[in-house]
Amino acid sequence: MFNPVKNTKVYEQVIYQIKDMINKGVLKKGDKLPSERDMVESLQVSRTSIREALRSLEIIGLIESKQGEGNFIRSSFENSLIEPLSIMFMLQDSNPGEILELRKIIEKETAGLAAERITEEELKELELLMGKFKELVEGEQMVSVDREFHYKIAQASKNFLILSIFNAISSLMESFIKDARKNILIKEENKEILYKQHENIYKALLNKNPQQAMKAMIEHLDFTNEYMTR
Amino acid sequence: MFNPVKNTKVYEQVIYQIKDMINKGVLKKGDKLPSERDMVESLQVSRTSIREALRSLEIIGLIESKQGEGNFIRSSFENSLIEPLSIMFMLQDSNPGEILELRKIIEKETAGLAAERITEEELKELELLMGKFKELVEGEQMVSVDREFHYKIAQASKNFLILSIFNAISSLMESFIKDARKNILIKEENKEILYKQHENIYKALLNKNPQQAMKAMIEHLDFTNEYMTR
């Protein structure tokens, strides 16, 4: 399964071999990795190097270690980019404006793609969310329905890479844009405006009209971005 | 500088504290981290946990260890997303079409932003590249000028997050789309077409015209994508 390792940066070699097995299809989502002891033997490197490599993959969110069971390839990677992106963001002295600009690009396009690819079932789910949206008066809950609405649209784009970037951006927003989605709800009349904007997006998706969906999404984000950069 | 760690997943706590120092500005780009021994003392955890945490940050591309000198926060993070994204891509059974779709979105938008933000100096650099482009006959070299041209435009967008995603996509293309940029050059007449397309993008940037730049970029990518998915 493994080949012995010969090089200086040993943990890199271990990761390289795990990647190689993934690439060849030997290891798949949800699979259990060989035990640390087996890897020590077959790769002929120290247990420390093996553990360094495994912990790194865990940080990136690609494997998970289950107490007493061993290490597994995760079955979902939607959050894998969050940790690297957020540390990078802090170190780079980036500004919240960059997040919002990237978010607008990605969400505009997910809206367009979703309009082409959304299923009837996904439309039903959005309809349900619109119903909840209408009923809500409490800001806190509205924030979570709002978040779910946007997430479902990103999902409906059916492009997993784009969805991963969407998730990473959402997480950056929560961490670095203070009270991102809450400020806007302080003004009572904004609730009606927000409902209307989401309805426009929903209708465009219902019509399977990409241009209309992108336009409605941009309108919505331009409005909310105003509040986030204050 | 550090606080002692108390929890099960020790390496995560170590990373958390390093992140916290970065967030507070105690650690900046290029800074040397405390020695492993100092960290063991101040965090009161094992050397193994410290090393696991450090190696993870190294894999993500956030720190680098220099032989005999210690560990440093990197001064550039442009490549930090590549490793996680590429492993994720393999595990997710994504297809090359997803990369090309994401690339089109990102490059269209970088062209638009660049048209608004490009400096005279950056335009000069693109002009030089166009000159090189014109002279070239050898496919191999053309590929590298092409790559540099697109990179400079992404840079000119002045959004670091977008640039990082651009870099990660480029790396995915090299890894997963076989001979991505070469196939197209097998047909001799394509060289002239490609030159023309790049010239259109360059002119749009020179005119500081975002719409024109996005249109020229899409035209170019639609043409090249045809060859990449064959």
Side-chain angles (χ1 to χ4, degrees):
Chain A
M1 197 164 185
F2 284 104
N3 301 313
V5 158
K6 37 180 182 287
N7 206 313
T8 36
K9 291 229 168 172
V10 181
Y11 71 93
E12 281 183 1
Q13 293 284 329
V14 177
I15 288 183
Y16 175 81
Q17 295 211 14
I18 292 177
K19 276 176 71 175
D20 193 47
M21 291 197 296
I22 291 170
N23 201 18
K24 287 178 179 146
V26 178
L27 281 175
K28 295 195 201 65
K29 283 199 281 182
D31 281 358
K32 186 172 189 288
L33 290 172
S35 74
E36 285 178 18
R37 189 192 295 178
D38 283 352
M39 287 166 94
V40 168
E41 259 176 44
S42 52
L43 295 168
Q44 293 163 33
V45 296
S46 72
R47 184 140 188 167
T48 309
S49 300
I50 299 286
R51 296 195 66 157
E52 283 174 5
L54 293 175
R55 284 322 139 249
S56 305
L57 293 174
E58 199 176 341
I59 300 276
I60 304 179
L62 294 169
I63 69 172
E64 58 185 328
S65 85
K66 296 181 190 165
Q67 194 66 34
E69 287 188 71
N71 299 297
F72 294 80
I73 306 270
R74 268 187 194 279
S75 28
S76 158
F77 315 105
E78 285 181 6
N79 300 322
S80 304
L81 298 178
I82 292 175
E83 188 75 8
L85 199 66
S86 81
I87 306 184
M88 191 178 84
F89 179 80
M90 292 190 293
L91 282 167
Q92 195 61 28
D93 269 333
S94 299
N95 61 66
E98 288 188 27
I99 302 177
L100 295 176
E101 188 168 84
L102 175 59
R103 180 190 181 211
K104 195 170 148 184
I105 290 170
I106 294 293
E107 291 222 52
K108 179 182 84 179
E109 300 288 342
T110 58
L113 294 172
E116 291 170 9
R117 299 172 187 172
I118 197 162
T119 63
E120 292 310 308
E121 198 179 326
E122 285 165 334
L123 279 169
K124 275 269 175 309
E125 288 169 4
L126 285 183
E127 197 189 341
L128 278 176
L129 284 174
M130 287 309 296
K132 278 194 202 167
F133 218 128
K134 193 159 196 129
E135 284 169 23
L136 287 175
V137 277
E138 257 191 73
E140 195 70 48
Q141 286 170 293
M142 208 162 189
V143 166
S144 89
V145 175
D146 183 17
R147 195 186 287 118
E148 208 179 331
F149 185 88
H150 286 267
Y151 177 75
K152 287 224 176 294
I153 293 174
Q155 249 187 336
S157 78
K158 309 283 188 297
N159 182 318
F160 176 76
L161 290 176
I162 295 177
L163 180 62
S164 307
I165 292 172
F166 170 88
N167 280 331
I169 299 170
S170 301
S171 159
L172 280 184
M173 280 185 49
E174 311 281 330
S175 312
F176 297 106
I177 303 180
K178 215 172 155 296
D179 298 320
R181 290 168 203 255
K182 262 190 256 170
N183 282 341
I184 201 166
L185 293 166
I186 293 168
K187 262 193 176 171
E188 195 57 34
E189 65 263 39
N190 281 349
K191 289 184 184 172
E192 189 55 35
I193 296 175
L194 285 176
Y195 176 76
K196 201 75 205 144
Q197 289 177 344
H198 284 87
E199 197 185 31
N200 288 342
I201 299 169
Y202 169 68
K203 281 183 181 162
L205 297 176
L206 204 60
N207 296 338
K208 311 268 165 92
N209 186 331
Q211 291 307 322
Q212 192 190 341
M214 289 194 275
K215 192 168 162 280
M217 182 62 90
I218 288 179
E219 225 168 73
H220 169 51
L221 294 179
D222 280 343
F223 177 75
T224 55
N225 284 358
E226 270 292 300
Y227 282 84
M228 289 185 195
T229 46
R230 271 179 196 179
Chain B
M1 200 164 184
F2 285 105
N3 301 314
V5 158
K6 37 182 180 289
N7 206 313
T8 36
K9 291 230 169 173
V10 181
Y11 72 91
E12 279 183 1
Q13 292 286 329
V14 177
I15 288 183
Y16 176 80
Q17 295 214 12
I18 292 177
K19 275 175 73 175
D20 193 47
M21 290 197 297
I22 290 169
N23 200 17
K24 288 179 176 148
V26 179
L27 281 174
K28 295 194 201 67
K29 283 200 282 183
D31 280 358
K32 188 173 187 288
L33 290 171
S35 73
E36 285 177 20
R37 187 192 298 175
D38 283 352
M39 287 167 92
V40 168
E41 260 176 44
S42 51
L43 295 169
Q44 292 164 34
V45 297
S46 72
R47 184 139 189 167
T48 310
S49 300
I50 298 287
R51 294 194 66 157
E52 283 174 5
L54 293 175
R55 283 320 139 252
S56 305
L57 294 174
E58 200 176 340
I59 300 274
I60 305 177
L62 294 169
I63 68 172
E64 57 186 329
S65 84
K66 296 182 190 164
Q67 193 66 36
E69 287 188 71
N71 298 297
F72 295 79
I73 306 272
R74 268 189 196 278
S75 27
S76 159
F77 316 104
E78 286 181 6
N79 300 322
S80 305
L81 298 179
I82 293 174
E83 190 75 8
L85 198 66
S86 81
I87 304 184
M88 191 178 84
F89 180 80
M90 292 189 295
L91 282 168
Q92 195 61 27
D93 270 333
S94 300
N95 60 67
E98 288 187 27
I99 303 178
L100 294 176
E101 188 169 86
L102 175 59
R103 182 192 180 209
K104 196 169 147 186
I105 290 170
I106 293 293
E107 290 222 52
K108 179 181 86 179
E109 300 289 342
T110 57
L113 294 172
E116 291 170 9
R117 298 172 188 172
I118 197 163
T119 63
E120 292 310 308
E121 199 179 326
E122 285 166 334
L123 279 169
K124 275 269 174 309
E125 288 168 4
L126 285 183
E127 196 189 343
L128 279 175
L129 284 173
M130 287 309 296
K132 277 194 202 168
F133 218 128
K134 193 158 197 133
E135 283 168 24
L136 287 175
V137 278
E138 258 191 73
E140 193 70 50
Q141 286 171 293
M142 210 163 187
V143 166
S144 89
V145 175
D146 183 17
R147 194 185 291 120
E148 208 179 330
F149 185 88
H150 287 267
Y151 175 74
K152 286 221 177 297
I153 292 174
Q155 250 187 335
S157 78
K158 310 283 188 297
N159 184 318
F160 177 77
L161 290 175
I162 296 177
L163 180 62
S164 306
I165 291 171
F166 169 87
N167 280 330
I169 299 169
S170 300
S171 158
L172 280 184
M173 282 185 50
E174 312 281 330
S175 311
F176 298 105
I177 305 180
K178 217 173 154 295
D179 299 322
R181 291 167 201 256
K182 263 190 253 170
N183 282 341
I184 200 166
L185 292 166
I186 293 168
K187 262 195 176 171
E188 193 59 34
E189 64 263 39
N190 280 349
K191 289 183 186 173
E192 188 56 33
I193 297 175
L194 285 176
Y195 176 77
K196 200 75 207 145
Q197 290 178 344
H198 283 87
E199 197 185 29
N200 288 342
I201 298 168
Y202 169 67
K203 279 182 184 164
L205 297 176
L206 204 59
N207 296 338
K208 313 269 164 91
N209 186 330
Q211 292 306 323
Q212 193 190 343
M214 289 193 275
K215 191 167 164 277
M217 183 62 90
I218 287 178
E219 223 167 74
H220 168 50
L221 295 178
D222 280 344
F223 177 75
T224 56
N225 284 358
E226 270 293 298
Y227 283 84
M228 289 185 195
T229 46
R230 272 180 194 177

